[in-house]
Structure formats: structure tokens, C-alpha cells
């Protein structure tokens, strides 16, 4: 009876983890596909938007609106490039690290961790949860060791690599990247993270350019 209770508890926890992961990954796929659609169709969308703006917006506000949209387009494009670069780095680190410590299925789980890293900051833990279940089924102690390894790797990635890679790609200081992720995740979850970082970078660039312009006029 004792073993059966533990088995049922483990099964229910596994189902809960996979359900939450599936929901998170599905939301991410929708959000990421939407972002790719915007970037891929920006010429057509921009053409329609220009027609509307030319018809209803005066010349001076229109010029500033186009300037803001150019900055936003640049920030969102660089953010996507930064995310893909980050995912590649984390996936490579995971495969190498897991191979060094002789975790089973190092390549497949490492690639999974890298792919889920496309979800900023928290994505690797989603892939790591799946990896833990796969490893723990065969060897529970190795599963726990994998969790410790992943936590250490994520501390390195979240505090050093991510702010530098993604922040550097969009010109946003690391501390503001962390602030944008924290606020975005609190307001709208994964979608808030995906939008929050490039949106914060856009505001930061606009304020920075306006400040430089004011300083040159003095």
C-alpha cells in the first residue's frame, strides 16, 4: 500500500507537470508564431498602415509615428535574433554539460532544453522538468542530480548570458531586461515576456535618442 501510494502520487505530479508544460509551450508557440508573422509580413502590414496614416494623420505627427514604428521594428527583429542565439548557446551548454556528467539521453534532452529556452528566462526549466521525468524514471538519484545541474546552469544563463546576449542584441542594459521580464510575466505570462522585453527596449531607445537630441540643442 505504501508503494502504491507513492506511485499514485508520482503519477499525479507527472500528469500535472506535463499539463502545465503543454499549456505553457502551446501559449509560447502561438505567441512566437504571431511574432514571426509580424516580422515576416511587416512590408504588407506596413503598406496598409501607411495608407491609413496618410489618410488620417497630419504630416508632423505622422513623421514621428513612422520614426517610432521603425525603432520598434528594429527592436523586435533584434530580440528574435537574440532569443535564437540564446537558445543555441543554452542547448549547446546542456548537451556538453550532460555528456560530461554522463546523464542519459544527453543530446535529446539538451536539445529540448535549448528549444524551450526560446521562452525567455523560464523556458529551460520547462524542458528541464520533462528531462527530469525521463531521467528519474530510470534512475531517481540521477534525476535529482540533473535538477541540481540545471539550476546551476540556469543561474549562470539567467544572470550572465541572457542579459548580455539578448540585452546586447537590442541595446538594453541587463538590469532593464530583468525588470521587463519580471513585469511582463506578472502582467501577461509568457506573452508578456515576449512583448515586454522588445517594448521596453523600444521605449529605452526613444528616450535615449530624445535625450541626445536635447543635449545637442543646448
Amino acid at each position: 500500500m505504501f508503494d502504491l501510494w507513492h506511485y499514485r502520487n508520482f503519477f499525479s505530479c507527472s500528469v500535472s507537470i506535463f499539463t502545465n508544460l503543454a499549456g505553457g509551450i502551446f501559449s509560447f508557440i502561438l505567441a512566437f508564431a504571431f511574432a514571426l508573422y509580424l516580422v515576416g509580413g511587416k512590408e504588407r502590414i506596413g503598406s496598409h498602415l501607411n495608407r491609413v496614416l496618410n489618410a488620417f494623420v497630419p504630416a508632423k505627427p505622422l513623421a514621428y509615428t513612422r520614426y517610432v514604428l521603425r525603432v520598434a521594428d528594429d527592436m523586435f527583429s533584434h530580440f528574435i535574433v537574440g532569443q535564437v542565439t540564446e537558445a543555441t548557446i543554452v542547448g549547446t551548454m546542456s548537451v556538453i554539460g550532460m555528456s560530461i556528467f554522463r546523464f542519459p539521453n544527453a543530446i535529446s534532452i539538451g536539445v529540448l532544453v535549448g528549444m524551450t529556452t526560446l521562452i525567455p528566462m523560464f523556458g529551460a526549466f520547462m524542458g528541464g522538468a520533462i528531462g527530469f521525468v525521463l531521467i528519474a524514471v530510470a534512475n531517481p538519484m540521477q534525476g535529482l542530480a540533473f535538477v541540481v545541474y540545471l539550476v546551476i546552469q540556469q543561474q549562470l544563463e539567467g544572470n550572465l548570458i541572457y542579459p548580455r546576449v539578448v540585452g546586447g542584441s537590442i541595446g538594453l542594459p541587463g538590469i532593464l531586461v530583468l525588470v521587463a521580464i519580471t513585469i511582463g510575466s506578472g502582467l501577461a505570462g509568457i506573452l508578456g515576456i515576449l512583448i515586454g522585453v522588445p517594448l521596453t527596449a523600444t521605449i529605452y531607445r526613444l528616450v535615449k535618442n530624445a535625450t541626445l537630441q536635447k543635449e545637442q540643442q543646448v
Side-chain angles (χ1 to χ4, degrees):
M1 181 67 67
F2 180 78
D3 292 338
L4 181 60
W5 181 85
H6 276 79
Y7 174 78
R8 288 178 176 175
N9 188 46
F10 176 78
F11 180 77
S12 63
C13 290
S14 299
V15 171
S16 177
I17 290 173
F18 276 103
T19 301
N20 292 333
L21 285 174
I25 292 174
F26 180 72
S27 298
F28 164 74
I29 292 174
L30 288 179
F32 197 71
F34 179 71
L36 291 178
Y37 172 78
L38 287 179
V39 173
K42 61 183 180 180
E43 288 81 9
R44 182 169 56 87
I45 296 173
S47 175
H48 292 309
L49 185 59
N50 278 330
R51 292 177 60 187
V52 174
L53 292 175
N54 287 330
F56 296 102
V57 181
K60 188 173 181 179
L62 178 58
Y64 184 75
T65 301
R66 285 174 171 164
Y67 161 68
V68 172
L69 292 176
R70 284 196 302 270
V71 173
D73 174 66
D74 185 56
M75 292 297 101
F76 275 81
S77 299
H78 281 81
F79 173 72
I80 293 175
V81 172
Q83 281 298 126
V84 173
T85 302
E86 172 75 3
T88 303
I89 293 174
V90 172
T92 303
M93 287 175 56
S94 300
V95 171
I96 295 175
M98 291 182 65
S99 299
I100 292 175
F101 291 104
R102 299 185 181 279
F103 290 115
N105 303 313
I107 295 179
S108 57
I109 295 176
V111 170
L112 176 64
V113 171
M115 291 177 62
T116 54
T117 302
L118 288 170
I119 302 174
M121 299 299 289
F122 309 113
F125 284 112
M126 296 181 179
I130 297 176
F132 164 73
V133 173
L134 295 176
I135 295 173
V137 168
N139 190 324
M141 293 304 297
Q142 274 196 319
L144 292 176
F146 171 73
V147 171
V148 173
Y149 164 78
L150 188 66
V151 169
I152 295 174
Q153 176 178 283
Q154 282 305 106
Q155 289 298 314
L156 176 65
E157 185 264 340
N159 292 290
L160 294 178
I161 300 175
Y162 185 87
R164 291 181 181 273
V165 172
V166 178
S169 67
I170 57 180
L172 190 64
I175 184 63
L176 291 182
V177 174
L178 296 177
V179 170
I181 289 173
T182 302
I183 297 176
S185 62
L187 293 177
I190 294 174
L191 182 61
I193 295 175
L194 291 173
I195 296 177
V197 175
L199 182 61
T200 302
T202 300
I203 296 173
Y204 177 80
R205 175 69 65 85
L206 292 173
V207 173
K208 182 179 179 180
N209 290 348
T211 301
L212 291 175
Q213 185 177 9
K214 288 290 185 180
E215 290 177 348
Q216 292 175 357
Q217 293 175 354
V218 175

